[in-house]
Amino acid sequence: MKIEFYKHNISQADIANAVEVMNSLFLTTGETVEEFERRFSQYLGLKYTVGVTSCTAALHLSLLAYGIGPGDEVITTPMTFIATANSIIHAGATPVFIDVEPDTANINANLIESAITSGTKAILPVHLHGQMCDMKKIRQIADRYHLIIIEDAAHAIEASRDGIRPGELCDAACFSFYATKNITSGEGGAVSTNNEEIAEKLKKLRLHGMSKGAAERYSKRYEHWDMEMLGWKYNMSNIQAALLLSQLGRIEQNWQRREEICRMYEDAFRSNAHISLPLVLPSSKSARHLFTVQVHPEKRDKVLWQLQERGIGVAVNYRSIHLLSYYRKTFAYKRGMFPIAEKIGDSTITLPLYPKLTDKEVQYVIQTVKEVTARHTSA
Ligand SMILES: Cc1ncc(COP(=O)(O)O)c(C=O)c1O
């Protein structure tokens, strides 16, 4: 059996929606992007969304919009994709890592205060694998020290925790529509916020700092434009928005199927002596973006490769990023500094998780994981 690590879920109707835009006059940022922004905000229960080309762009621009730059420190987690910390560096600021919780792998909110200095300007929590961080606690700390919170919600569109959803307790939440995400336009991203001034600034920053987008310049009498600030070229296109809009209608239905698959995995692995599972808290609805298991660090790579040999697509999300060459060289990070993130990074394996996965395929993954982990653990 061959089971891909990921298969997208774009339907013929989604494609037809994109084709309709492609048959129209306006391909770049216009009405379709605006409609997506409205619908995405509505889905999240937030006021504003600004569509961009990636979550990396969303994070970068959110930091800039809040005036974070050279000399500033941003507290974040090393248990994430590099985009999180790279965006802080793109903004000219310094990422400051703290360790994560052993059971959820999310940033440990109890360690935030000990990392705050006079240079700290923001906290950048990541809702890892789909489970939200403790935003109530993080908001309290941010209020006490007058810090901005930017959420990396790339994995967490559908999530909630203690009744709180992404973007609700922060200053800007950033989303990814990358190829493997829960809704996708191949590449794409968005920032959602309740702050009108920031949303307006983000719209300028995503398009070179121009005072008017193409839709405003060309749809009526020609209007001259100004460049009000130095921006980037990060604007979402109507084609991307058309693909996303029609997927948004199925987002909960797709989540239901991923939830079902995760429960099959959890039931099968919960009492297995060779496998540990991250905890999904009872008060938490995980967006179920990635399903990970943990095995003994010395066996992890062997298990990974054997699963691949038996036709199962796997990944590692993530090895702790402070140990990557650039971060070691630039910030003198070393092994031993974040032991929990290191341990999780050395033992994690991500299994296939997407709505198109059949029950039969899930059973094959379960059986194979059980066999391979048992063999390597007793070897
Ligand atoms: C946690 C996290 N943050 C940020 C990103 C960056 O997203 P994008 O590829 O849309 O820039 C990713 C992408 O995989 C991610 O997993």
Side-chain angles (χ1 to χ4, degrees):
M1 211 185 255
K2 172 92 180 103
I3 300 174
E4 301 294 344
F5 176 66
Y6 182 78
K7 277 187 192 164
H8 71 69
N9 205 34
I10 292 175
S11 68
Q12 289 310 309
D14 302 333
I15 293 169
N17 228 32
V19 168
E20 199 177 311
V21 165
M22 289 160 84
N23 281 324
S24 74
L25 186 65
F26 217 83
L27 304 184
T28 183
T29 317
E31 273 178 16
T32 320
V33 171
E34 280 171 26
E35 195 188 337
F36 170 69
E37 291 172 340
R38 258 191 316 275
R39 289 260 311 276
F40 195 65
S41 303
Q42 231 168 41
Y43 173 79
L44 292 168
L46 297 172
K47 287 191 184 150
Y48 311 101
T49 293
V50 178
V52 291
T53 46
S54 68
C55 184
T56 310
L59 290 162
H60 180 196
L61 294 191
S62 299
L63 291 161
L64 295 180
Y66 278 101
I68 292 155
D72 297 337
E73 291 172 9
V74 179
I75 296 173
T76 192
T77 165
M79 180 39 64
T80 184
F81 182 57
I82 46 173
T84 314
N86 286 359
S87 67
I88 298 169
I89 302 171
H90 292 323
T94 304
V96 174
F97 295 131
I98 58 171
D99 213 345
V100 298
E101 299 170 336
D103 48 359
T104 67
N106 271 331
I107 193 165
N108 187 340
N110 293 326
L111 300 176
I112 292 175
E113 280 192 272
S114 63
I116 293 175
T117 69
S118 56
T120 308
K121 288 286 160 28
I123 308 170
L124 209 172
V126 178
H127 305 316
L128 196 73
H129 303 154
Q131 173 157 241
M132 287 184 69
C133 302
D134 189 346
M135 290 312 301
K136 285 188 178 169
K137 195 177 274 177
I138 295 173
R139 183 76 256 172
Q140 277 172 4
I141 299 168
D143 286 346
R144 203 172 315 136
Y145 292 90
H146 309 292
L147 304 176
I148 296 296
I149 306 174
I150 313 278
E151 285 175 30
D152 182 335
H155 297 182
I157 305 175
E158 307 92 334
S160 65
R161 175 170 172 175
D162 305 320
I164 305 295
R165 296 177 66 193
E168 201 171 329
L169 291 187
C170 72
D171 299 285
C174 300
F175 298 90
S176 173
F177 310 124
Y178 172 69
T180 59
K181 294 295 187 275
N182 294 354
I183 58 172
T184 181
S185 44
E187 301 284 352
V191 185
S192 298
T193 178
N194 280 327
N195 186 324
E196 185 179 8
E197 199 186 316
I198 289 295
E200 285 308 311
K201 200 166 170 189
L202 286 165
K203 280 190 184 163
K204 293 189 177 128
L205 283 171
R206 76 174 166 184
L207 191 62
H208 291 299
M210 287 167 80
S211 55
K212 290 185 173 60
E216 292 161 287
R217 296 198 310 275
Y218 296 108
S219 54
K220 300 181 207 99
R221 195 179 70 163
Y222 186 84
E223 298 260 1
H224 291 297
W225 49 270
D226 189 17
M227 177 181 150
E228 297 176 1
M229 58 189 82
L230 180 66
W232 272 257
K233 185 63 170 70
Y234 283 163
N235 54 310
M236 177 181 276
S237 77
N238 273 356
I239 303 170
Q240 288 170 303
L243 275 171
L244 294 168
L245 258 172
S246 61
Q247 289 169 71
L248 203 49
R250 297 195 306 281
I251 196 165
E252 286 302 314
Q253 187 188 324
N254 287 338
W255 173 83
Q256 282 288 353
R257 176 61 186 154
R258 293 196 310 278
E259 172 73 11
E260 233 171 63
I261 295 167
C262 288
R263 288 191 183 244
M264 285 190 249
Y265 281 149
E266 284 166 350
D267 289 346
F269 299 139
R270 190 171 290 119
S271 49
N272 188 304
H274 310 299
I275 299 168
S276 337
L277 299 173
L279 179 72
V280 179
L281 300 161
S283 62
S284 179
K285 173 191 174 189
S286 168
R288 297 297 201 179
H289 173 53
L290 294 169
F291 187 87
T292 62
V293 295
Q294 291 163 23
V295 298
H296 194 286
E298 281 169 25
K299 316 287 177 192
R300 194 267 305 275
D301 289 354
K302 285 195 203 99
V303 172
L304 261 182
W305 295 325
Q306 276 238 266
L307 290 174
Q308 273 190 319
E309 278 164 23
R310 308 259 307 249
I312 298 174
V314 284
V316 174
N317 305 91
Y318 301 93
R319 290 184 301 147
S320 191
I321 63 171
H322 72 285
L323 297 177
L324 299 176
S325 300
Y326 174 83
Y327 280 93
R328 282 179 190 261
K329 274 189 292 199
T330 313
F331 300 101
Y333 283 123
K334 291 198 255 309
R335 191 167 271 279
M337 292 173 104
F338 309 108
I340 314 273
E342 289 166 17
K343 180 159 183 247
I344 294 169
D346 291 342
S347 47
T348 286
I349 296 174
T350 313
L351 300 179
L353 174 62
Y354 43 90
K356 279 187 177 159
L357 210 56
T358 64
D359 285 5
K360 200 169 152 205
E361 289 172 324
V362 174
Q363 291 312 326
Y364 177 75
V365 175
I366 288 172
Q367 202 45 44
T368 313
V369 168
K370 280 183 174 171
E371 281 169 28
V372 168
T373 50
R375 178 170 340 131
H376 279 296
T377 311
S378 55

